[in-house]
Each structure stands twice: as C-alpha cells, then as structure tokens.
Amino acid sequence: MAGAPVDVRVAGGVIERVGPGLPAVPGLEEIDGAGGIALPGLVDAHMHLDKTFWGLPWRAHEAGPTVRDRIDNERRLRRELSLAPDVQAEALARQAVSRGTLHIRSHVDVDTEIGLRNLEGVLAARQRLRDVVSIQVVAFPQSGVVTRPGTAELLDRAVRDGAELIGGIDPAGIDRDPAGQLDLVFDIAGRYGAGVDIHLHDGGELGAIQIRMIAERTRALGLAGRVSVSHAFCLAMVDEAEQGQLVELLVASGIAIMTTAPGDRPMPPFRRLRAAGVRVASGSDGVRDAWTPFGTADMLERAMLLAYRSGFRTDELLHATLDAVTRGGAEVLGLEGYGLGAGDRANLVIAPGESLGELIAMRPPRALVVSGGRVVARGGHCVI
Ligand SMILES: [Zn+2]
C-alpha cells in the first residue's frame, strides 16, 4: 500500500529534505505531485541511440534471423537512409525522458565505414540534453574488431573523443578470435581507464568460456566494477553447477550483467545473479531500428517484461525488476547521488498508482519527470 504522503524540497538541483508536511518556503515554486508515487529517475543501461528510426514513418522489419544477417542489413539501410545520428539520438533520448528515464548508457556504432560519425552525433545530442538526461557512451564495434582492421584505432580515438566505455561483440562468434578481440578492447580500456561493456550473444560453452576470459582480463587490469556483459544468454544455457561457478566468478571479478528480458533467447538467471550479489541492470537495447520494430524506451515496460519473462507475480519479485531499472542500473552505470534521499540529485519521476507493483503492472503515463529540480516532462510528454 502507499505510504503517507511526503513533500520533497529541492534546492540547487539537489534534494534538500523529504518528509510529510514540509512548511512552504517563500519564493520556492511548488509542484503538485497529486499523490503519485515518486521513483528516482529511471535508468536505461543499454540503448543504441544512434541506430533508431524514431520519428520516421513505420518501416517493416526485413532482416534475416541471425546476428550476422542483421548486421549486414543494417549496414545496407544505413547507406540507403543516411540519417543524421544527432537528430535520431536526440529524438529517442527525448522519448526516454518522457517515460521517466534520466540516465542512459548508449552503445554507439564505430566501424571502418562510418568512422566516428555516429559517435560525433550522439556526443552532440548528449551536449544538447546535458541538463536533462545523463548519457554514457560505449564505443561499439558492431561489425567486429579483429576481422575489420582499423577498428581498434577508431575505438581508441573514440575514447579520447569522449566515449566512457569500450564495447565488444561476440569475440568468438563475430571475430572468431576471442582472445584477439578481448585483448584489443581491454588494452584500450586499461590505457585510458575506460569501462568495458561487451555484447555477448554467443551461447552455451562458447559463451561461458568468453565470460571466463572477460573475468581474467578484468582482474588483471583491476577493472572490477567497471565491466559489464550485456545479454549473456550463455549463463542460462550451462548446467546448474557451471552456472554457479560463473555467477561466483562474476561476483569475484566485479562484473555486471545487463539483460533486456529477451523474447526468444535464454535469459540470464535474474534471481540467482541478484541473490549472489551480481549487479544486474536492464535496458531497451534497440528501439524501433533495423534490429527490431519494438520498443518505446519505457523502463517501466522493461521491468514488466523482466517480470513477465521470469514468471514473477508477487510484489516482492516485481520490486526486484523495478530495482533493476532504478538502483541496480545506477550501480552498473556508477552514478553518484542517485536516490530519493536528502543530498541526492533531484531527479525523479512521479506516476499515479497505489503501489510499486501496480506501477509495473499498469505502466501509467508519467505525470511528472523532474531532472535537476526542473520539470522536463509532464503527462508523458517532454516539455523542454
Ligand atoms: Zn545492444
């Protein structure tokens, strides 16, 4: 049930006090939350802001079923459509803000065909929206690293230009050289103190071996707490005993897991990971792009999908999914001042409902989204 109503007093973009019946302060603007539920700004820990077709007419999905089919199809579409990455990134980030997301980690394609064009676009959008939403950028070698000479140099440059993390993709499945790709990626990360976030779709034992290789390099470079594995389907494809070993390894190495609650692929063991102490985040991944027709950049919807995919029904388990799109995501992104306590950044979203469980079940339009103490969205629409 809902707790007693409280007031939240904000000064200088920071929460100063939270409590019932705070006295009005002359000159301080009052905003009515209408008795809704306040959450800290939602965290989308895995997007692709540069890829989206958001704002364009509907485009039927036409890629084949494999990762390689989708990469090739996207490269073709990218040439045909030649969209402006800054415009697309800003359009999708604004949509995310309208749904209460105030922190995004976006992978951004870097390859030998487009160079750093998409990176420059996302960095420009990030700059324009810097007072509204925080955006972490992962330089993402969508087309491979080892098999595309010149990519490692571009990744290196991307980090110097403003990407906080280096990405990777199926070091075995795409590059057929897991040690080669991981060494290149971790070498750059180690050199600049950047984080690492690897897309790992490779399944079963092939994926599990790569988790071990990522852990080895994370520990060798002292990058605990700075490395994530996105998707990690393999964690759900090995036997119980090996899954336990891998979970322990993730804990010991300080590696986080990001899952989107994939519809037709194995999902990492959400409860087991969290119970063991692995940081678990979630994200939209692609939103209405060459990879998928789906997505609305709504992290309450993502929490519902996590619950739906996991067979969760109780409030306690629904709360766990909400945690993955709030506090858990904030931990993975390494956000400071995150929360609803005094001294935290005044980033919050207010939605009508009686309980947190109901919020996930209903995903009501966000009544208010407040960033740094300023209303940035109202009634499900950006107002900035
Ligand atoms: Zn992705």
Side-chain angles (χ1 to χ4, degrees):
M1 292 302 291
V6 295
D7 294 324
V8 178
R9 184 185 292 158
V10 172
V14 172
I15 296 174
E16 192 179 70
R17 250 181 104 184
V18 179
L22 297 184
V25 175
L28 203 63
E29 183 191 3
E30 274 187 42
I31 299 166
D32 185 4
I37 296 177
L39 301 171
L42 305 178
V43 180
D44 196 324
H46 189 122
M47 296 190 93
H48 290 269
L49 291 174
D50 58 321
K51 292 177 183 288
T52 188
F53 301 147
W54 197 265
L56 301 176
W58 178 254
R59 167 173 289 278
H61 182 74
E62 50 194 12
T66 69
V67 170
R68 176 49 73 186
D69 291 337
R70 291 172 184 161
I71 292 172
D72 292 343
N73 178 63
E74 179 174 57
R75 290 170 70 89
R76 178 182 63 77
L77 276 176
R78 207 166 60 189
R79 281 190 289 266
E80 285 176 20
L81 297 173
S82 65
L83 301 173
D86 65 319
V87 174
Q88 294 309 114
E90 181 172 349
L92 181 53
R94 283 177 174 277
Q95 166 65 15
V97 168
S98 78
R99 298 297 199 263
T101 290
L102 294 175
H103 307 281
I104 293 171
R105 174 179 287 181
S106 179
H107 297 252
V108 180
D109 284 14
V110 169
D111 70 27
T112 50
E113 190 175 283
I114 54 165
L116 300 177
R117 185 170 167 263
N118 285 22
L119 179 83
E120 287 158 9
V122 173
L123 292 178
R126 167 163 90 177
Q127 177 68 11
R128 292 202 285 268
L129 296 173
R130 67 187 179 283
D131 295 332
V132 178
V133 54
S134 72
I135 300 176
Q136 277 183 9
V137 170
V138 187
F140 175 49
Q142 173 74 82
S143 305
V145 183
V146 179
T147 48
R148 292 201 174 262
T151 304
E153 290 74 13
L154 287 167
L155 294 175
D156 185 292
R157 178 74 194 277
V159 173
R160 282 184 280 140
D161 284 359
E164 288 91 351
L165 299 100
I166 307 278
I169 180 166
D170 293 330
I174 294 293
D175 271 343
R176 309 213 175 280
D177 181 2
Q181 182 185 125
L182 291 173
D183 284 346
L184 286 168
V185 166
F186 275 88
D187 179 49
I188 301 167
R191 201 177 314 146
Y192 297 107
V196 173
D197 191 333
I198 308 274
H199 279 68
L200 187 62
H201 313 91
D202 285 338
E205 204 49 51
L206 184 63
I209 289 166
Q210 293 174 84
I211 296 264
R212 294 179 194 282
M213 295 173 77
I214 290 167
E216 259 172 40
R217 286 158 178 78
T218 300
R219 297 172 88 156
L221 288 168
L223 287 174
R226 311 282 308 283
V227 175
S228 305
V229 177
S230 288
H231 304 307
F233 305 140
C234 62
L235 292 175
M237 300 166 78
V238 294
D239 65 33
E240 179 82 12
E242 184 171 9
Q243 186 185 79
Q245 290 170 8
L246 290 168
V247 169
E248 279 175 31
L249 184 63
L250 293 169
V251 174
S253 312
I255 296 174
I257 295 294
M258 191 298 304
T259 180
T260 62
D264 62 347
R265 306 297 296 275
M267 177 172 158
F270 184 81
R271 291 173 76 176
R272 187 173 192 176
L273 287 165
R274 284 173 49 92
V278 177
R279 289 166 299 132
V280 179
S282 189
S284 297
D285 206 357
V287 175
R288 196 158 168 170
D289 59 19
W291 291 73
T292 176
F294 299 122
T296 56
D298 184 341
M299 292 309 290
L300 283 188
E301 181 176 271
R302 191 59 49 184
M304 181 278 286
L305 290 170
L306 286 169
Y308 181 80
R309 176 74 168 80
S310 306
F312 295 169
R313 289 177 172 77
T314 65
D315 265 10
E316 183 189 352
L317 290 170
L318 297 185
H319 294 175
T321 66
L322 187 61
D323 190 72
V325 304
T326 53
R327 190 187 59 82
E331 284 182 356
V332 173
L333 267 59
L335 302 178
E336 289 174 2
Y338 183 87
L340 291 179
D344 290 329
R345 287 265 309 157
N347 288 346
L348 47 121
V349 48
I350 297 174
E354 289 180 30
S355 72
L356 298 177
E358 187 191 11
L359 280 191
I360 296 169
M362 298 302 291
R363 285 103 54 212
R366 310 311 111 88
L368 284 172
V369 182
V370 175
S371 179
R374 183 169 61 127
V375 175
V376 293
R378 202 184 277 275
H381 299 280
C382 270
V383 293
I384 39 87

